[in-house]
């Protein structure tokens, strides 16, 4: 019975994975971690990618990285825009397709933010307050702060009076701006993009500390399908996004320069932080 | 019903005032009703809004509250508040233990704070009322999930616009009422003034002069028969008054002759007395024309008699001639008076007491004709009352710039009819003499007054003329 079921599930997964670009189109997993407040941005990216691929691209948005990673691993989506952290967590099963280029390089930072009138100068000043994380599988929205604390022998749950997950970088900014939490861990790229898109929101927050440059959240696919034609086509579409007017318009909305090939060493910094957290656990 | 002060106002002012008061009262009652209906409507609207808000929130919030998911609760509250269109100033979700789980503005209601600290003055949702003094209203509602209360929802509503709306409505109503009251008062005043114009004309005409003035023909409306009838009746009455006054004036004229007439017999006697002596003297002259001493004494006798006759004639003439000329009173007039009354007093064997203590300047301020008439009438009346062998007295004294003329007698006193003629204002009863009524009218015309006193067996009638002569 169990064996039958496993076979059945595998078959389902294979069925789901196989004709990806067929009836439904190419499915890309996303989380609301990025700029999730403007449907126009998402639609513009989807349209540009569809044009480049010559086939419809369907976005599958989920609340958390865990869900999106799950979709990718089980084959419910063909590729996903992941964070470097969950990519590394499932490194063996996944392959890198491309990484967005932001301000000239496929790199970004994590910001530690507090209310604009908060006197804190460093992470240590924020002890005892409430803290907003973005996602437990987010590098900039959890791992950076958690590893900073782990390196000092501290855990977020005890260092902060209360930690909450807001399931989105913009939500972290909202939590801090509204005073729901004293501080938050946020994607530096999102925070900077928000200063242009919603200056009123970020103006109520202040960057207390910045991490070193780390690998930008990449597009990834399952390793076993790395050679599939539609995956290659998608990778080609991504890397050529800056070459089409629609692609450039979508990138401009995303405040990105373009897409670059991504390699494993780009994420060494994140891997190091993962090791530090793991070691303390 | 009508205040005494209001009753003193002319009708043309009273009617608009009353109509203004009535309009204002009706306006006030109507405004109160409108405002109370508006408040009721607002409260119903607000209660419905809060109910929908709370119900919607309950569905969205309950799982987060049960899981104690701060972010989820906050996200729901913030988005719900933003969607509230500015009406919702603050929404707070609290757990069953009464601790804040999340608020749309966490700075005002921090996570884990006791709900009581932010719920002060909160009203229960089913008994919602909007006091006019506040702009923020707090409402506390239970957070019910599957029939069980899992927490509370506190909503702070911005009702500033509703309160302002009410205030605006009150102001508009007040202004409207004021205008309506003003307009109705004005209309009522115009209407009343128009309606009362004939009355106003009557009032003016009635007090136009000493006597009511008739309304000219051109002012008598042609169409309005009632007013026209009223005016014609008034004109007839004004004419009658004029005629009566004219008659009284003529009667007063005649009275002067009447009093002289009453004096005529005694004056004839007065003239007759020296005539005998004169005739004797003339006879003596004829018989003793050669005796110078007799001629001298007889001539002197004749001269004295003639002089006396001339005085009597002069006094009688003066009394008559002084009619209209407003000659001033002099001591000579008093001598004339005494001369005129003396024969009558003597005829009746009466005693005349004559006391004059007024200097010429204080006498000169009064017209001789009228004062003489007053004194003569009173003296004749006193003499008639005193009867044979009685006593008649005249006291004239200057007092405080005025004059006091008193005539006394020891007769039986004035009867009621005579007293009424002397002091009353009513029409003269027929049959009585006019002397006393003439005295009354003359004294009134001079601005003086009459005092009557009966002490013991003496009757005293005093005429007091005021200090400031008319």
């Amino acid at each position: 019975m169990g064996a039958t079921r496993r076979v059945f599930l595998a078959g389902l997964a294979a069925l789901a994975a196989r004709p990806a670009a067929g009836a439904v189109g190419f499915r890309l997993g996303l989380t609301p971690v990025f700029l999730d407040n403007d449907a126009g941005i998402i639609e513009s990216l989807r349209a540009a990618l569809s044009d480049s691929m010559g086939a419809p691209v369907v976005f599958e948005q989920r609340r958390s990285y865990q869900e999106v990673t799950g979709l990718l691993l089980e084959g419910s989506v063909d590729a996903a825009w992941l964070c470097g952290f969950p990519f590394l967590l499932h490194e063996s099963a996944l392959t890198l397709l491309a990484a967005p280029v932001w301000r000239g390089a496929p790199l970004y930072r994590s910001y530690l933010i507090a209310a604009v009138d908060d006197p804190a100068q460093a992470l240590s000043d924020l002890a005892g307050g409430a803290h907003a994380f973005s996602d437990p599988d987010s590098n900039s929205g959890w791992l950076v702060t958690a590893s900073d604390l782990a390196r000092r022998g501290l855990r977020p749950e005890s260092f902060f009076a209360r930690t909450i997950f807001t399931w989105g970088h913009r939500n972290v900014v909202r939590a801090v701006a509204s005073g729901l939490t004293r501080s938050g861990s946020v994607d530096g790229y999102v925070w900077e993009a928000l200063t242009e898109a919603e200056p009123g929101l970020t103006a109520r927050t202040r960057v207390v500390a910045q991490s070193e440059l780390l690998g930008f959240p990449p597009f990834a696919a399952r390793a076993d399908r790395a050679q599939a034609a539609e995956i290659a086509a998608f990778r080609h579409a991504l890397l050529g996004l800056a070459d089409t007017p629609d692609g450039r318009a979508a990138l401009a909305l995303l405040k990105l320069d373009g897409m670059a090939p991504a390699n494993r060493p780009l994420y060494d910094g994140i891997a190091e932080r993962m090791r530090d957290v793991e070691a303390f656990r | 019903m009508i205040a005494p002060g209001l009753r003193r106002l002319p009708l043309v002012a009273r009617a608009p005032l009353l109509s203004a008061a009535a309009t204002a009262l009706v306006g006030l009652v109507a405004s109160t009703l409108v405002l109370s209906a508006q408040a009721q409507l607002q409260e119903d609207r607000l209660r419905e809004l809060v109910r929908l808000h709370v119900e919607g929130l309950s569905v969205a919030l309950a799982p987060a509250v049960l899981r104690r998911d701060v972010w989820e609760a906050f996200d729901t509250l913030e988005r719900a508040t933003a969607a509230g269109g500015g009406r919702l100033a603050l929404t707070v979700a609290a757990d069953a233990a009464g601790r804040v789980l999340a608020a749309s503005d966490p700075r005002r209601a921090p996570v884990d704070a006791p709900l009581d600290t932010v719920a002060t003055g909160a009203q229960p949702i089913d008994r919602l009322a909007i006091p006019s003094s506040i702009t923020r209203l707090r409402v506390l509602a239970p957070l019910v999930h599957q029939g069980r209360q899992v927490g509370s929802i506190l909503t702070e509503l911005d009702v500033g616009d509703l309160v302002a709306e009410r205030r605006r409505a009150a102001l508009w109503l007040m202004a409207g009422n004021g205008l309506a009251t003003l307009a109705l008062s004005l209309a009522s005043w115009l209407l009343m003034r128009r309606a009362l114009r004939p009355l106003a004309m009557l009032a003016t005409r009635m007090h136009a002069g000493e006597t009511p003035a008739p309304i000219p023909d051109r002012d008598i409306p042609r169409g309005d028969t009632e007013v026209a009838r009223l005016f014609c009746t008034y004109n007839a009455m004004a004419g009658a008054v004029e005629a009566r006054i004219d008659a009284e004036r003529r009667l007063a004229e005649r009275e002067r002759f009447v009093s002289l007439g009453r004096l005529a017999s005694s004056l004839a006697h007065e003239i007759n007395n020296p005539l005998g002596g004169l005739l004797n003297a003339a006879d003596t002259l004829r018989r003793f024309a050669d005796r110078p001493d007799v001629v001298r004494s007889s001539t002197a006798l004749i001269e004295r008699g003639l002089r006396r006759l001339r005085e009597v004639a002069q006094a009688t003439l003066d009394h008559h001639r002084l009619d209209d000329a407003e000659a001033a009173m002099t001591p000579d007039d008093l001598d004339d008076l005494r001369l005129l009354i003396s024969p009558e007093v003597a005829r009746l064997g009466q005693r005349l007491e004559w006391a004059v203590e007024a200097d010429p300047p204080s006498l000169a301020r009064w017209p001789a004709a009228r004062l003489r008439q007053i004194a003569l009438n009173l003296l004749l009346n006193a003499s008639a009352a005193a009867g044979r062998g009685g006593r008649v007295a005249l006291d004239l004294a200057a007092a405080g710039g005025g004059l006091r003329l008193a005539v006394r007698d020891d007769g039986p006193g004035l009867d009621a009819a005579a007293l009424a003629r002397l002091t009353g204002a009513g029409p003269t009863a027929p049959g009585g003499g006019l002397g006393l009524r003439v005295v009354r009218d003359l004294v009134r015309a001079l601005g003086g007054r009459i005092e009557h006193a009966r002490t013991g067996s003496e009757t005293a009638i005093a005429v007091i003329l005021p200090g400031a002569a008319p």
Side-chain angles (χ1 to χ4, degrees):
Chain A
M1 180 72 180
T4 318
R5 187 173 172 188
R6 205 172 303 125
V7 169
F8 173 71
L9 279 177
L12 260 186
L15 258 175
R18 201 55 43 114
V24 257
F26 188 86
R27 294 161 305 176
L28 178 69
L30 292 173
T31 74
V33 163
F34 292 97
L35 304 167
D36 66 334
N37 57 319
D38 192 342
I41 296 177
I42 300 294
E43 178 52 30
S44 151
L45 177 65
R46 198 195 62 77
L49 287 173
S50 299
D51 278 359
S52 289
M53 282 187 73
V57 174
V58 179
F59 284 0
E60 294 281 350
Q61 275 183 289
R62 291 294 181 272
R63 191 174 183 235
S64 65
Y65 276 126
Q66 196 178 11
E67 290 168 81
V68 173
T69 312
L71 286 180
L72 181 60
L73 291 175
E74 74 179 20
S76 293
V77 293
D78 301 304
W81 193 356
L82 288 178
C83 178
F85 178 31
F87 164 72
L88 290 176
L89 283 174
H90 305 281
E91 193 179 356
S92 56
L94 299 174
T95 182
L96 290 167
L97 298 177
V101 177
W102 180 55
R103 296 188 177 175
L107 298 168
Y108 78 130
R109 297 175 197 270
S110 169
Y111 286 177
L112 182 66
I113 59 169
V116 71
D117 54 354
D118 196 293
Q121 294 299 316
L123 175 60
S124 53
D125 297 334
L126 296 166
H131 188 85
F133 286 123
S134 165
D135 186 314
D137 283 352
S138 166
N139 168 52
S140 57
W142 184 80
L143 181 65
V144 169
T145 302
S147 54
D148 280 347
L149 289 172
R151 285 166 184 170
R152 301 174 206 182
L154 297 165
R155 290 176 209 283
E157 305 81 56
S158 50
F159 178 76
F160 296 115
R162 175 193 283 275
T163 59
I164 62 169
F165 289 103
T166 65
W167 314 107
H169 288 293
R170 183 173 167 273
N171 288 347
V172 171
V173 183
R174 278 173 63 201
V176 175
S178 70
L180 184 67
T181 60
R182 185 182 172 190
S183 55
S185 301
V186 68
D187 187 317
Y189 149 70
V190 174
W191 193 89
E192 296 290 352
L194 281 175
T195 57
E196 288 178 47
E198 291 179 73
L201 182 62
T202 47
R204 284 145 67 197
T205 64
R206 186 173 64 83
V207 177
V208 174
Q210 298 186 4
S211 73
E212 72 281 15
L213 284 168
L214 296 162
F216 205 97
F219 289 85
R222 248 161 60 164
D224 57 355
R225 293 194 64 227
Q227 303 310 314
E230 63 266 26
I231 299 296
F234 180 63
R235 184 167 183 272
H236 184 74
L238 280 177
L239 294 174
L241 206 55
D243 301 333
T244 68
D246 286 352
R248 276 196 296 276
L251 287 169
L253 287 173
L254 286 162
K255 315 289 178 198
L256 294 173
D257 302 333
M259 299 288 172
N263 51 31
R264 175 57 183 77
L266 193 59
Y267 301 97
D268 282 351
I270 298 175
E272 199 178 312
R273 286 182 174 272
M274 286 169 67
R275 272 196 304 279
D276 292 342
V277 170
E278 200 56 43
F280 183 59
R281 228 166 248 183
Chain B
M1 184 79 188
I2 301 170
L6 195 58
R7 213 171 289 149
R8 273 202 296 275
L9 283 174
L11 196 58
V12 73
R14 212 191 308 162
L17 274 180
L18 282 175
S19 101
T23 314
L25 190 71
V26 169
L28 196 70
V29 171
S31 305
T32 311
L33 287 175
V34 167
L35 287 177
S36 120
Q38 188 194 25
Q40 186 66 45
L41 202 71
Q42 284 186 346
E43 276 162 18
D44 288 349
R45 220 168 74 196
L46 210 61
R47 205 173 293 125
E48 185 63 13
L49 176 89
V50 176
R51 199 178 58 75
L52 288 172
H53 173 64
V54 167
E55 277 177 5
L57 270 185
S58 293
V59 173
L61 273 178
V65 171
L66 284 171
R67 282 201 317 272
R68 293 200 53 79
D69 187 331
V70 171
W71 172 256
E72 197 66 43
F74 168 77
D75 191 40
T76 306
L77 290 175
E78 201 196 43
R79 279 186 288 116
T81 303
R87 168 75 70 214
L88 304 166
L90 174 72
T91 311
V92 182
D95 60 16
R99 298 207 159 265
V100 172
L101 186 69
S104 59
D105 183 355
R107 285 182 215 279
R108 289 187 54 201
V111 180
D112 287 334
L115 182 63
D116 296 347
T117 57
V118 283
T120 43
Q123 303 184 28
I125 185 169
D126 47 349
R127 289 197 300 279
L128 193 63
I130 312 175
S132 54
S133 53
I134 60 159
T135 54
R136 293 282 174 98
L137 187 71
R138 287 178 179 170
V139 185
L140 192 62
L143 173 54
V144 178
H145 181 60
Q146 293 176 344
R148 185 165 65 91
Q149 182 172 353
V150 297
S152 310
I153 295 176
L154 174 77
T155 307
E156 192 176 275
L157 298 146
D158 188 346
V159 291
D161 59 329
L162 298 183
V163 173
E165 193 179 296
R166 267 198 231 178
R167 201 165 296 150
R168 214 161 37 237
L171 275 177
W172 275 114
L173 282 171
M174 221 146 64
N177 286 341
L179 275 178
T181 305
L182 207 68
L184 278 175
S185 308
L186 192 70
S188 164
W189 178 71
L190 286 173
L191 212 70
M192 281 310 285
R193 206 178 62 149
R194 201 179 155 75
L196 291 176
R197 196 174 295 154
L199 279 186
M201 176 173 279
L202 273 183
T204 325
R205 287 277 158 185
M206 247 177 234
H207 294 102
E210 281 180 22
T211 58
I215 293 165
D217 271 353
R218 63 169 191 281
D219 287 340
I220 297 176
R222 300 278 161 260
D224 193 339
T225 53
E226 279 137 340
V227 173
R229 240 180 3 242
L230 177 70
F231 279 10
C232 289
T233 310
Y234 166 79
N235 277 356
M237 282 167 67
V241 169
E242 184 62 42
R244 190 176 71 86
I245 289 171
D246 200 40
E248 281 180 4
R249 197 161 45 233
R250 266 182 282 121
L251 275 177
E253 297 275 325
R254 202 172 304 159
E255 180 63 16
R256 238 191 314 273
F257 295 99
V258 168
S259 51
L260 270 180
R262 284 180 59 193
L263 285 174
S265 67
S266 44
L267 282 173
H269 194 70
E270 190 69 8
I271 292 166
N272 197 40
N273 274 350
L275 279 182
L278 287 175
L279 287 173
N280 275 342
D283 189 47
T284 307
L285 270 181
R286 196 182 305 120
R287 278 192 284 136
F288 304 101
D290 53 338
R291 283 177 58 183
D293 56 328
V294 174
V295 168
R296 247 192 324 272
S297 70
S298 290
T299 310
L301 196 70
I302 287 169
E303 195 180 348
R304 262 205 313 280
L306 287 175
R307 242 184 248 286
R308 176 69 181 159
L309 286 177
R310 192 177 68 183
E311 280 171 2
V312 172
Q314 193 65 49
T316 311
L317 282 174
D318 280 354
H319 194 70
H320 190 38
R321 198 167 43 211
L322 279 169
D323 277 358
D324 296 320
E326 290 293 314
M329 188 82 173
T330 61
D332 289 346
D333 289 305
L334 288 171
D335 292 343
D336 280 357
L337 264 178
R338 189 167 187 171
L339 192 69
L340 283 171
I341 196 66
S342 290
E344 177 75 358
V345 168
R347 187 176 65 84
L348 291 169
Q350 291 170 336
R351 186 154 46 89
L352 180 65
E353 293 171 11
W354 201 262
V356 173
E357 287 172 22
D359 50 355
S362 49
L363 284 176
R365 295 175 50 214
W366 304 96
R370 285 188 256 176
L371 207 55
R372 278 176 63 151
Q373 185 71 47
I374 291 168
L376 188 62
N377 279 17
L378 287 177
L379 283 168
L380 282 171
N381 187 68
S383 171
R388 190 158 294 277
R391 184 172 59 86
V392 173
L394 179 139
D395 307 318
L396 182 66
L403 272 185
R404 188 177 194 279
L405 169 77
V407 175
R408 293 176 282 122
D409 66 77
D410 56 357
L414 293 171
D415 60 15
L419 199 58
R421 281 200 295 279
L422 181 64
T423 57
T428 325
L434 285 164
L436 290 177
R437 172 50 62 105
V438 168
V439 168
R440 187 197 79 113
D441 290 348
L442 287 172
V443 170
R444 273 167 59 107
L446 289 174
R449 68 178 198 278
I450 297 168
E451 283 174 4
H452 164 258
R454 172 85 185 160
T455 19
S457 60
E458 188 183 73
T459 305
I461 296 168
V463 169
I464 293 114
L465 299 175

